[in-house]
Amino acid sequence: MTINDSSATLLVSNSVDLAHSNTMALSCVADSVVTLTNEAQLDDFMATYAEDVEHQLSLFVLSGGSNVLLPAALNAVVLQPKMRGIHLTAQTDDYVDIEVMAGENWHDLVVHTVNQGWYGLENLALIPGLTGAAPVQNIGAYGVQLEDCLQYVRAYHLPTQTWHHLSVADCQFDYRDSIFKRTPNTWLISRVAFRLHTDPTHILASYGDVQTVAQRYAEQQEREQANPHDVMQAIIDIRQQKLPDPKQLPNCGSFFQNPIIGQDQFTALQTSYPAIVGYPMPDAMVKVAAGWLIEQAGLKGGGIAPIMTHKHQALVLTNHTPYQATQEDVETAQRYIANIVYEKFAIQLSREPVWVNADGSIGYAEHVV
Ligand SMILES: Cc1cc2nc3c(=O)[nH]c(=O)nc-3n(C[C@H](O)[C@H](O)[C@H](O)COP(=O)(O)OP(=O)(O)OC[C@H]3O[C@@H](n4cnc5c(N)ncnc54)[C@H](O)[C@@H]3O)c2cc1C
């Protein structure tokens, strides 16, 4: 596909190898990739794309590739939002408002804000990916979700080729969910705006061992109380110990969702497995730890090569032949794992990352068995 307009910097490449553009390091070649470094380029590209009705491929938005399982051949136009910039839009004694462009690395943004004395994102440190993708699944960790600090999202509605400001209510956030996730390849998020506070004594560190580690950092600095820097550092440490670094061992984070089952089934399972881990949910349901189920099924470190669960973290599937393994290998391993778990516990597992079909359409969360 060629673009004959004046946007000289708009980069459209054909037959692009994306094996290094997804943290699972799956082999993938995309039909074409459009690199967007400013918003106007999207208007330009979409005007041309809309005219090109004869051989129109579907669109697929790809950011850092840390939550996707790409097919070996992706017959779609991949839009890569790489706009950069962090803009201060308002400041008072109590808070700052910032607008962040989609292509900013998420973890670098967290570190930058904390270093500036702008607080609220510290619990979300070390989550891979780019800022534009963060609202898609309302990223969350250690008791904080993106929506807690979000003001609005600027996004392009691909079907109507129009720009929109979406408020928090418009984004329809839920646990690891949003309007962007529910209507895939419909929106392209270009800016994410946050309100961050400037009070260093306001921290959220009661989650797990964060408080203990953060306090240790504070004491090393001869401060009585932990501050957001300490919380961020604690979370970086804890995450580095718990999760494999995708740069060293390719993975896409938690591979299976924690299944939700009825209280009756949970009580029955408790009889056979007194140590089963469950969290009460509304409507007499219980959320069960998928990692525990996989481990109890004897699959910690197991799988079907080259896709194996991590030896210390059964919930994470890792790729042992980076840039060669394919989505099919993931399919084989996930089925194997889910089948064994089902046979043992009669619980179905669902995937967490986004499964990208060959035509760029995507399938979330369907049961694996
Ligand atoms: C080791 C590891 C740990 C992780 N830990 C966490 C965690 O603690 N909490 C958590 O919530 N997640 C976690 N994740 C998942 C992942 O990092 C997040 O979902 C992240 O926000 C994905 O960002 P990305 O840029 O890589 O998006 P991608 O993987 O490129 O895309 C993910 C989805 O978002 C869509 N998308 C991407 N960018 C845009 C955009 N600009 N506009 C519209 N749609 C878009 C894509 O089409 C795709 O459907 C982890 C992943 C890994 C590998």
Side-chain angles (χ1 to χ4, degrees):
M1 194 180 298
T2 50
I3 305 292
N4 297 318
D5 64 18
S6 58
S7 55
T9 54
L10 178 62
L11 186 64
V12 183
S13 317
N14 294 318
S15 218
V16 180
D17 184 350
L18 293 178
H20 291 265
S21 302
N22 69 100
T23 64
M24 193 72 182
L26 294 180
S27 166
C28 173
V29 176
D31 211 89
S32 45
V33 171
V34 181
T35 307
L36 301 164
T37 52
N38 65 55
E39 291 174 340
Q41 290 174 332
L42 184 54
D43 289 308
D44 291 344
F45 172 75
M46 288 304 291
T48 314
Y49 175 82
E51 281 168 16
D52 181 26
V53 278
E54 257 177 53
H55 22 62
Q56 204 169 76
L57 295 170
S58 59
L59 300 170
F60 173 69
V61 185
L62 179 68
S63 289
S66 66
N67 208 29
V68 288
L69 296 161
L70 298 177
L74 178 52
N75 302 314
V77 177
V78 177
L79 299 175
Q80 282 199 306
K82 294 208 168 163
M83 310 86 163
R84 304 292 303 271
I86 301 171
H87 310 290
L88 184 66
T89 54
Q91 187 160 24
T92 71
D93 287 346
D94 301 325
Y95 65 81
V96 294
D97 290 341
I98 57 169
E99 210 181 52
V100 185
M101 303 305 290
E104 290 293 333
N105 176 280
W106 175 260
H107 175 69
D108 292 349
L109 170 70
V110 173
V111 174
H112 174 75
T113 55
V114 172
N115 286 341
Q116 293 290 320
W118 306 337
Y119 308 125
L121 302 180
E122 52 277 2
N123 291 35
L124 304 177
L126 222 60
I127 296 181
L130 304 183
T131 302
V136 175
Q137 70 156 358
N138 188 17
I139 56 167
Y142 299 99
V144 171
Q145 304 194 89
L146 182 90
E147 65 175 306
D148 300 337
C149 295
L150 191 97
Q151 275 205 301
Y152 62 85
V153 164
R154 177 168 154 85
Y156 187 86
H157 189 246
L158 295 163
T160 56
Q161 296 171 44
T162 48
W163 287 99
H164 297 260
H165 263 68
L166 287 93
S167 66
V168 174
D170 294 335
C171 294
Q172 299 173 23
F173 288 120
D174 207 337
Y175 181 78
R176 301 292 180 275
D177 201 13
S178 72
I179 187 172
F180 312 110
K181 189 162 175 176
R182 283 193 289 275
T183 54
N185 295 331
T186 302
W187 298 93
L188 185 142
I189 297 166
S190 71
R191 305 180 196 196
V192 188
F194 302 95
R195 174 160 293 181
L196 303 175
H197 65 87
T198 51
D199 174 5
T201 63
H202 175 78
I203 57 170
L204 197 64
S206 56
Y207 204 92
D209 36 6
V210 175
Q211 194 163 22
T212 321
V213 182
Q215 194 56 37
R216 203 183 307 142
Y217 273 107
E219 281 158 19
Q220 278 168 11
Q221 303 295 318
E222 297 180 359
R223 275 185 275 100
E224 260 182 43
Q225 276 212 320
N227 65 22
H229 284 263
D230 303 319
V231 172
M232 180 176 75
Q233 201 51 56
I235 284 169
I236 291 173
D237 281 6
I238 292 166
R239 289 185 70 106
Q240 279 174 336
Q241 279 165 28
K242 277 193 185 162
L243 291 169
D245 179 355
K247 289 194 189 98
Q248 272 145 40
L249 185 51
N251 71 84
C252 51
S254 303
F255 190 88
F256 293 107
Q257 298 179 11
N258 290 326
I260 296 173
I261 61 173
Q263 179 66 55
D264 293 350
Q265 186 183 3
F266 184 73
T267 309
L269 282 168
Q270 264 180 324
T271 318
S272 313
Y273 307 98
I276 188 168
V277 183
Y279 309 95
M281 301 285 289
D283 304 324
M285 304 297 279
V286 180
K287 188 188 273 184
V288 183
W292 187 90
L293 297 173
I294 296 167
E295 200 175 330
Q296 292 305 305
L299 290 166
K300 198 177 193 177
I304 296 195
I307 307 297
M308 315 290 282
T309 68
H310 190 248
K311 59 183 178 196
H312 300 310
Q313 183 57 265
L315 198 52
V316 176
L317 260 60
T318 57
N319 175 4
H320 290 258
T321 57
Y323 321 121
Q324 290 170 31
T326 63
Q327 198 189 46
E328 262 181 53
D329 294 317
V330 176
E331 170 102 57
T332 308
Q334 71 179 15
R335 255 182 219 289
Y336 170 75
I337 294 164
N339 274 325
I340 292 180
V341 167
Y342 187 75
E343 276 165 23
K344 192 168 173 74
F345 299 105
I347 294 177
Q348 289 183 311
L349 292 179
S350 305
R351 257 190 321 268
E352 172 130 358
V354 178
W355 187 269
V356 184
N357 297 315
D359 64 355
S361 63
I362 65 183
Y364 286 106
E366 70 262 26
H367 291 317
V368 176
V369 287

